[in-house]
Amino acid sequence: MEPILVVFSGGQDSTTCLMLAIAERGAANVHTVTFDYGQRHRLEVELAASIAREQGVASHKVIRVDWYRDITHNALMDATTPIGRDPGAATPNTFVDGRNALFLLTAAIYAKGKGIHDLMIGVSEADYSGYPDCREAFVRSMNQTLNLAMGWDFAIHAPLQHLTKAQEWALADRLGKLDYIRARTLTCYEGIPGDGCGKCPACVLRARGLADYLAEKAGGRP
Ligand code: ZN
């Protein structure tokens, strides 16, 4: 089985990706990389490490990109900025410029050094169209750029690309990991793991998806 490197933040999306990669390839073939970019919540980096350890992945690497916050500003890195969206702004203020490009480039450099071709990232354009680097066009273009940049055939896997949050919970359930992902992952902008604060946009999206999936599971499709 070919090894794969999962870009892993310890959130719902990337943990679902991790579980899928493990189910498909076995933990011994799954590597994880977490970026420490000065995110608001340090707990994210620690949580990612403990999930990776619990799941018995082949390796877990933390890469520090702590200069990132010196050159860009957004609410995810600055705890004094309230989460929100200016009516006139193209993206929510939680959007981090260039994040997925930076993460994929860095992950690819690391992967090539380990002889790995396959990369996985938990981007989804179904629920969060405000983030340009979650779009399929970006992922495809980045894949091509990485291949050209390094003369190495990468394959970027984005299995959540077209899934809604409800479909993502369904996938977690099929993998037998719904309860684990619900309890252990951190998606909340306030830094509260599991079901989170229940109020921020990330919690609302996550809770709505879960409620939709659970209602569908209980009652069958209308
Ligand atoms: Zn929250």
Side-chain angles (χ1 to χ4, degrees):
M1 193 61 81
E2 283 287 310
I4 190 165
L5 177 66
V6 180
V7 177
F8 183 56
S9 72
Q12 179 193 353
D13 299 342
S14 65
T15 306
T16 304
C17 284
L18 176 67
M19 297 306 182
L20 182 65
I22 290 173
E24 288 176 347
R25 306 187 187 215
N29 295 303
V30 176
H31 302 258
T32 48
V33 62
T34 297
F35 292 95
D36 183 350
Y37 62 96
Q39 49 272 70
R40 235 164 134 123
H41 306 294
R42 292 286 317 156
L43 181 62
E44 219 179 283
V45 178
E46 290 158 27
L47 209 56
S50 72
I51 293 172
R53 199 165 45 238
E54 279 170 16
Q55 297 305 317
V57 298
S59 74
H60 175 67
K61 173 84 174 166
V62 177
I63 299 178
R64 288 182 63 180
V65 283
D66 45 7
W67 46 266
Y68 203 8
R69 61 188 304 166
D70 294 338
I71 60 166
T72 186
H73 182 265
N74 54 76
L76 270 202
M77 295 184 196
D78 177 6
T80 64
T81 301
I83 306 275
R85 180 174 195 149
D86 291 333
T91 53
N93 73 357
T94 49
F95 176 64
V96 183
D97 275 319
R99 181 168 57 172
N100 287 339
L102 175 68
F103 286 5
L104 282 168
L105 171 62
T106 312
I109 295 167
Y110 176 62
K112 187 182 176 188
K114 290 173 82 72
I116 296 173
H117 293 272
D118 290 334
L119 306 172
M120 189 181 277
I121 186 161
V123 295
S124 167
E125 64 182 24
D127 278 323
Y128 241 6
S129 53
Y131 287 9
D133 60 355
C134 287
R135 290 178 296 193
E136 188 176 9
F138 161 73
V139 176
R140 282 196 192 160
S141 152
M142 192 69 196
N143 201 147
Q144 194 176 16
T145 296
L146 293 175
N147 294 359
L148 291 170
M150 281 179 260
W152 183 259
D153 285 331
F154 291 103
I156 302 178
H157 301 261
L160 311 180
Q161 188 76 70
H162 300 291
L163 300 190
T164 62
K165 275 280 182 274
Q167 290 169 327
E168 192 181 327
W169 282 114
L171 171 60
D173 203 11
R174 275 203 303 282
L175 295 168
K177 299 292 182 187
L178 188 145
D179 291 338
Y180 181 90
I181 290 172
R182 186 175 176 183
R184 294 286 281 126
T185 63
L186 189 158
T187 308
C188 174
Y189 290 149
E190 300 302 328
I192 303 165
D195 288 338
C197 74
K199 297 190 194 83
C200 74
C203 279
V204 169
L205 192 66
R206 173 171 161 144
R208 194 187 298 144
L210 182 61
D212 286 351
Y213 170 62
L214 293 176
E216 189 181 294
K217 190 183 177 188
R221 282 182 172 279

